[in-house]
Amino acid sequence: MMTYPTDFKPNFFAKDTTILPHPISVVFSKLATGVGLKDVIFLSELASHCEVLQEDQVAVSGPLLETHVRHLPASSSVDDSSKRLLPRQAFTFTETISIIPHIYSVNVVLVGTLTRDEKAHVALYESASDGGIWVVKKRVFEEVDGGKATKVIESTAGMCPGWQRMIAQRTTTRVHRACAEAYHTLF
């Protein structure tokens, strides 16, 4: 399993906010757990061959969105009162990235985890590719309209080799927006 470099310095980004007309319990279950993981991944036009792997738990201290947990060992208990166990779902899928549109594309295999903190209403997606690209997506869920709807704030930060940055930024911006706009189709 590739771990994040100790000097993780993102060089491509995306952010979007979507309001879905469903209670937070319904939206969180679909967008932050293994239940809807495959459906969410396949919203991307780039994604294929997704496999949802084992779910385990990881011991986390501090806010989930301020750490990387993908590389941490699974835990069945905590021996420190400052830590808590959070569910972590492993997955893998393939993205087909167009390098020269309609002429040359490459398949990139991603291995990642989706970790959730149900009390804080947040989820952390972390993935690494066989090509040296690391991606972190943070999803924050907020009740709106008296609990009848949910605001999903999603930010993506990734790190790739410098020569890939322009392609990664262009692709991330386009695909991130398209997926956020398609979330409503999952309900």
Side-chain angles (χ1 to χ4, degrees):
M1 175 187 299
M2 293 180 65
T3 60
Y4 284 85
T6 54
D7 62 342
F8 180 69
K9 292 184 176 83
N11 58 0
F12 62 94
F13 307 88
K15 186 169 184 175
D16 221 309
T17 300
T18 304
I19 296 179
L20 298 167
H22 304 282
I24 199 166
S25 61
V26 172
V27 174
F28 191 85
S29 176
K30 192 67 166 177
L31 300 182
T33 72
V35 170
L37 181 59
K38 234 181 196 181
D39 294 336
V40 172
I41 287 173
F42 282 134
L43 287 176
S44 169
E45 66 189 42
L46 307 176
S48 64
H49 187 71
C50 177
E51 188 176 351
V52 177
L53 306 171
Q54 78 284 352
E55 181 172 281
D56 61 17
Q57 295 182 22
V58 63
V60 177
S61 60
L64 174 61
L65 298 185
E66 293 178 14
T67 188
H68 296 294
V69 299
R70 183 177 158 285
H71 65 282
L72 295 177
S75 302
S76 58
S77 63
V78 290
D79 55 1
D80 179 344
S81 64
S82 68
K83 293 185 178 185
R84 63 204 186 291
L85 289 177
L86 298 178
R88 176 178 62 181
Q89 178 69 62
F91 62 89
T92 184
F93 70 100
T94 302
E95 285 187 337
T96 303
I97 308 295
S98 177
I99 305 300
I100 302 171
H102 309 292
I103 297 173
Y104 180 67
S105 298
V106 296
N107 286 331
V108 177
V109 177
L110 295 112
V111 177
T113 58
L114 179 63
T115 308
R116 65 188 180 273
D117 184 339
E118 295 181 41
K119 288 183 181 176
H121 295 126
V122 298
L124 177 65
Y125 164 111
E126 300 174 280
S127 69
S129 78
D130 54 357
I133 299 174
W134 291 272
V135 174
V136 174
K137 291 182 186 179
K138 299 175 180 182
R139 289 188 188 122
V140 177
F141 301 82
E142 298 176 358
E143 284 187 351
V144 294
D145 194 21
K148 296 177 187 171
T150 304
K151 180 192 289 188
V152 181
I153 304 163
E154 183 173 273
S155 60
T156 298
M159 184 172 124
C160 66
W163 65 270
Q164 294 177 337
R165 188 201 164 287
M166 188 170 64
I167 294 167
Q169 182 63 63
R170 182 181 65 233
T171 303
T172 299
T173 300
R174 180 177 51 81
V175 172
H176 190 270
R177 166 75 37 102
C179 289
E181 289 176 353
Y183 281 160
H184 73 279
T185 65
L186 299 174
F187 302 91

